[in-house]
Amino acid sequence: MSGHARATAGLCCVSLVLLGAACSAGKPASGSKAAETAPAPVVTFADVTREAGIAFEHETGAFGKKYLPETMGAGCAFLDYDGDGRLDIFLVNSCPLARRKRSGPTLPALYRNRGDGTFENVTAKAHLAVESYGLGVAVGDYDNDGHPDIFLNALGLDHLFRNRGDGTFEDVTARAGVSDPAFGSSATFLDYDRDGFLDLFVCNYVAWTSETDLFCTLDGTHKSYCTPESYHGATNRLFRNRGDGTFEDVSKKAGIYNESGKSLGVVVFDHDGDGLPDIAVANDTQPNYLYRNNGDGTFREIGREVGIAFSEAGVARGAMGIDAADYDLSGRESLVIGNFSNEMVALYHNEGGNLYVDDAASAGIGPPSLLTLAFGTFFFDYDLDGLPDIFVANGHVEPDINAVQKDVTYAEKPHLFRNLSGGRFEETSPRAGTPFQRLIVARGAAAGDYDGDGDMDILLTTNGGPAYLLRNDGGNASSWLRVMLEGRKSARDAFGAELVLTVRGRTLRRDLRGASSYCSQSEKAVTFGLYSADKADSLEVTWPSGLKQAFHDLPARRAIAIVEGDETFRSVDALRASR
């Protein structure tokens, strides 16, 4: 983020102890047929938050001092914590940054999906009523027991909640050895060493405490939120899962340790197609990172070499949310990164040969996103035509920004970009329904099919405001196939698996991954849009263990489960019934 009005995005909940102490041309899709050229289905999103029974307000902790963390908001996650096949919702919360009178603690929220379109708040019942200044959430079955666990990244001590499998969680942070007392942001689970156990990558932002807080101003008189340039960076952390319920901090050993970063977003993907998970990190006013996996337990940072570190003008931007997808059917995953206002969303196209080029302007997502400030950012196929579209959650960090920049506002509308094929997008926000016309101060964002109708819904959080559940209406007019993977030799969650589906001569690639976007996690199932096809011709799964499996004639409008090593797929319900 740059410019005197660029207020940094802060973090979520921290302990009082800590507080005291040049554009390229668009490219046609390669290696596969372009999308079918039929009229696009009419897809809108409806705000169903209230009718779903979700009543949540984020606490910024603000009390007049304009502390940096107050601007950061918090993330969210779709997960099936109780294994009933329905997506539940986890909402991260922050807490007051000073001692003051209040009615009670400010807590995260776990909402259980009842299966009838409504949710029940089970936070206390699930033993998750723990106050912290939370920011990011990552979900993963770190102990391979079949139950998703929750990692909460925070300002101050983090938390790892182990799922007991009986509807409750236990805080195993100290025992597991993953607590990091820094200014946390996003986090994600991955199996970087392919040993069958999920490791944990934790992003940290800047070295900030209430005692080191600086005075910054937009008008020369009144205090404003400082930009991240005002503070020293903080290193991210990589925790290796030992397989016995504990983790080892291998940040230095693995080549991750770097105190110059100011990291807000992370995505794990196989950037060079070698079968090993690489790590891309979105940094705020610092060069973005791309950690290439060397295959020997170490990484080499190559962001500058490959072209994702800077803008095409050679400037580090204010990067927040990040995701990866093969959006042009080239067989290679590219990156989308949400940036600060006056910087545009970046779309780093993977050219192959260790080279990325920012195609945002020519692809049609650059100009519409120039003035907005992006946080949650992800790919998803909202109209189920087989092509990954882009959602961007926007909201500024400085409430008074409009006084100094008349074209920039604090509350902003989200972006929805539909993939037109050939490397081009169009903004469809104006016709996507009322939620896309609403000005909000958005932060975290995730995608998932909470109502089980096949199309992808959106979960959205705001800074100091409510969470929103946006139901996709009309996406499932097209055909779809949902795939759940269960590892055996690979980690149970199978993060890092590659799925390649063929349908009517087109090849669609999806990778199964943990958390991405900004401080958030989308659902674990992989959704393929089949457009008008009544079946998929084939699906090849390459597991993290290296095992390859192929399946043929997969029916449309079905959710299937594939277990590593099993020769046939089955319905998700059938797999669940066999437990």
Side-chain angles (χ1 to χ4, degrees), residues 76-359:
C76 55
F78 278 119
L79 74 161
D80 180 9
Y81 85 95
D82 53 0
D84 64 359
R86 298 187 290 263
L87 285 183
D88 310 301
I89 288 172
F90 184 80
L91 300 169
V92 182
N93 209 350
S94 305
C95 64
L97 291 171
R99 299 185 184 278
R100 66 186 190 202
K101 287 185 178 180
R102 47 194 174 118
S103 57
T106 54
L107 304 172
L110 177 65
Y111 283 94
R112 179 182 175 272
N113 190 333
R114 294 189 178 105
D116 60 359
T118 68
F119 291 78
E120 171 193 7
N121 190 327
V122 295
T123 311
K125 187 188 301 183
H127 300 174
L128 289 172
V130 177
E131 185 174 73
S132 70
Y133 201 93
L135 277 100
V137 57
V139 179
D141 183 5
Y142 79 91
D143 53 0
N144 287 334
D145 65 354
H147 309 298
D149 310 300
I150 298 173
F151 177 75
L152 181 63
N153 202 10
L155 173 62
L157 298 179
D158 307 320
H159 293 276
L160 178 61
F161 297 105
R162 179 182 175 272
N163 190 331
R164 290 190 176 108
D166 60 359
T168 69
F169 292 79
E170 62 175 326
D171 190 336
V172 296
T173 313
R175 184 166 78 236
V178 294
S179 190
D180 176 14
F183 189 162
S185 53
S186 294
T188 193
F189 285 100
L190 73 159
D191 184 5
Y192 79 93
D193 53 1
R194 294 300 200 231
D195 65 353
F197 294 96
L198 291 183
D199 311 301
L200 179 63
F201 186 94
V202 178
C203 289
N204 287 312
Y205 191 34
V206 296
W208 177 93
T209 68
S210 59
E211 292 181 337
T212 60
D213 185 72
L214 302 174
F215 180 88
C216 300
T217 180
L218 292 175
D219 59 12
T221 302
H222 301 94
K223 189 182 185 203
S224 63
Y225 292 107
C226 292
T227 68
E229 294 100 328
S230 304
Y231 297 97
H232 294 295
T235 187
N236 299 320
R237 298 284 177 179
L238 179 62
F239 294 98
R240 179 181 175 273
N241 191 333
R242 294 188 178 103
D244 61 358
T246 69
F247 292 76
E248 173 192 6
D249 186 345
V250 295
S251 308
K252 292 183 177 179
K253 184 190 305 183
I256 296 297
Y257 195 91
N258 185 344
E259 293 183 340
S260 66
K262 299 175 182 179
S263 303
L264 290 178
V266 59
V267 65
V268 176
F269 75 123
D270 184 2
H271 109 92
D272 51 5
D274 65 356
L276 297 171
D278 308 301
I279 305 170
V281 179
N283 281 317
D284 189 359
T285 70
Q286 290 292 109
N288 298 320
Y289 299 148
L290 177 54
Y291 287 105
R292 182 184 181 277
N293 193 326
N294 295 322
D296 60 0
T298 68
F299 293 81
R300 186 169 73 88
E301 203 286 294
I302 59 172
R304 289 174 173 84
E305 296 176 30
V306 302
I308 73 159
F310 304 104
S311 70
E312 291 205 337
V315 176
R317 291 183 277 198
M320 273 77 92
I322 185 171
D323 200 11
D326 177 14
Y327 73 86
D328 62 345
L329 309 188
S330 65
R332 299 181 297 270
E333 288 200 299
S334 300
L335 294 170
V336 63
I337 300 179
N339 292 312
F340 205 74
S341 56
N342 298 306
E343 291 181 339
M344 299 196 302
V345 168
L347 184 64
Y348 290 108
H349 180 262
N350 189 337
E351 307 276 315
N354 290 319
L355 177 64
Y356 293 76
V357 175
D358 189 354
D359 279 348

Side-chain angles (χ1 to χ4, degrees), residues 274-523:
D274 65 356
L276 297 171
D278 308 301
I279 305 170
V281 179
N283 281 317
D284 189 359
T285 70
Q286 290 292 109
N288 298 320
Y289 299 148
L290 177 54
Y291 287 105
R292 182 184 181 277
N293 193 326
N294 295 322
D296 60 0
T298 68
F299 293 81
R300 186 169 73 88
E301 203 286 294
I302 59 172
R304 289 174 173 84
E305 296 176 30
V306 302
I308 73 159
F310 304 104
S311 70
E312 291 205 337
V315 176
R317 291 183 277 198
M320 273 77 92
I322 185 171
D323 200 11
D326 177 14
Y327 73 86
D328 62 345
L329 309 188
S330 65
R332 299 181 297 270
E333 288 200 299
S334 300
L335 294 170
V336 63
I337 300 179
N339 292 312
F340 205 74
S341 56
N342 298 306
E343 291 181 339
M344 299 196 302
V345 168
L347 184 64
Y348 290 108
H349 180 262
N350 189 337
E351 307 276 315
N354 290 319
L355 177 64
Y356 293 76
V357 175
D358 189 354
D359 279 348
S362 61
I365 71 171
S369 65
L370 176 61
L371 295 179
T372 50
L373 197 164
F375 276 89
T377 306
F378 58 75
F379 288 104
F380 74 142
D381 185 3
Y382 79 89
D383 54 1
L384 298 175
D385 66 353
L387 298 171
D389 311 301
I390 297 172
F391 174 80
V392 184
N394 299 309
H396 213 280
V397 296
E398 177 52 65
D400 301 322
I401 188 63
N402 189 242
V404 294
Q405 292 189 22
K406 63 182 180 62
D407 294 326
V408 178
T409 58
Y410 181 50
E412 299 173 332
K413 298 177 183 178
H415 291 306
L416 184 64
F417 295 106
R418 179 174 182 263
N419 194 329
L420 300 176
S421 81
R424 294 280 302 171
F425 293 80
E426 66 167 337
E427 184 169 20
T428 54
S429 310
R431 57 181 186 271
T434 302
F436 283 85
Q437 316 315 314
R438 180 186 293 140
L439 295 170
I440 58 176
V441 186
R443 292 296 184 261
D449 180 17
Y450 85 91
D451 52 0
D453 65 354
D455 53 29
M456 301 294 283
D457 311 300
I458 297 172
L459 182 62
L460 188 62
T461 65
T462 62
N463 193 51
Y468 294 99
L469 180 61
L470 309 183
R471 187 185 65 211
N472 184 323
D473 290 336
N476 62 3
S478 297
S479 293
W480 46 272
L481 176 69
R482 289 168 57 77
V483 183
M484 291 288 293
L485 299 183
E486 186 174 298
R488 285 294 183 261
K489 185 176 180 182
S490 304
R492 182 89 174 218
D493 278 338
F495 289 157
E498 178 190 82
L499 299 88
V500 178
L501 180 138
T502 58
V503 54
R504 291 184 174 175
R506 285 199 299 161
T507 300
L508 311 179
R509 170 186 168 170
R510 302 285 188 272
D511 280 12
L512 179 59
R513 60 173 53 93
S516 57
S517 185
Y518 170 76
C519 290
S520 300
Q521 176 139 358
S522 295
E523 70 164 318

